[in-house]
Amino acid sequence: MGHWYEQRESAGGVVRITEPKVRALLSANVWWLRGADRDLVVDAGLGVVPLRAALPQLFARDPLLVLTHAHLDHVGGAPEFRSRAAHAAAAELLGRGVPASLYGAELSRQLGIPADGAPLPELLLKALPYPDYDPATYRIGPITLTQHLHDGDRIDLGDRSLTVLHLPGHTPGCLALLDEHTGELYSGDVIYDGDLIDDLPESDIPTYRRSLQLLADLDIALIHPGHGPSFPATRLRELTAAYLRATD
Ligand SMILES: [Zn+2]
């Protein structure tokens, strides 16, 4: 259980925490930024293994947690944080309890994933965190927020600040955080280097297109996405252009 999470220093001095034993669909990043006055954690993982027990140093400075959107692989560990923020449009779903299952068929049903695609793996973990772990017990309870975020809000960490960008499309409450000084963008599932998911019942393709068009026009240097490693702006422009072409 001690090796459930992996952490490594990524470009720009930010720490990327991953769950390598989770299958690709649900293997999301937790980003840890250490500020002069306060730490910021972007997203909270799947919540299969408590973060606080595995990575106590993450909590040493009582960080602010920002959730990029209300999907299980990004919010599972949220109840472990004292300060929890997300876009106001995600608050209701988080408060109700997000759909959550580690079984592909059950998760597809809960999320409303269209049946025409390839079915999800039977179990969305590659390995159990410990031998007698029962994936059937996995749940995400209601998550109440201590702060509602809106487009243009600023999060001040002392030596750096981040601007909230409301970028709906994948979900109505998707946000990204932009450090305008360094050009680093924490993008959640708005953009990552892979197939973007726009066919959930809560997704909206025209809205998603507007969000990606907005991103393509911003001064961004480096993207820290919700899934996979960081990538530079050149790749961001390729990805946004490809999506805008494919959905035209
Ligand atoms: Zn998502």
Side-chain angles (χ1 to χ4, degrees), residues 6-10 14-18 27 29-32 225 227-230:
E6 261 180 36
Q7 58 170 327
R8 75 208 83 144
E9 199 96 358
S10 187
V14 61
V15 176
R16 178 183 171 216
I17 298 164
T18 56
S27 186
N29 294 323
V30 175
W31 296 100
W32 177 19
H227 298 267
S230 305

Side-chain angles (χ1 to χ4, degrees), residues 164-221:
V164 174
L165 306 174
H166 183 212
L167 297 168
H170 172 65
T171 72
C174 277
L175 63 73
L177 299 175
L178 178 63
D179 183 329
E180 283 165 287
H181 185 67
T182 64
E184 284 169 276
L185 180 81
Y186 298 84
S187 64
D189 280 2
V190 175
I191 190 87
Y192 49 80
D193 198 343
D195 286 335
L196 301 177
I197 296 173
D198 63 4
D199 58 355
L200 300 172
E202 60 190 334
S203 305
D204 186 75
I205 292 173
T207 308
Y208 208 154
R209 287 174 56 85
R210 276 195 296 280
S211 290
L212 290 185
Q213 187 62 63
L214 192 144
L215 267 192
D217 293 340
L218 282 177
D219 196 7
I220 293 167

Side-chain angles (χ1 to χ4, degrees), residues 69 71 74 170 189:
H69 65 296
H71 277 159
H74 300 263
H170 172 65
D189 280 2

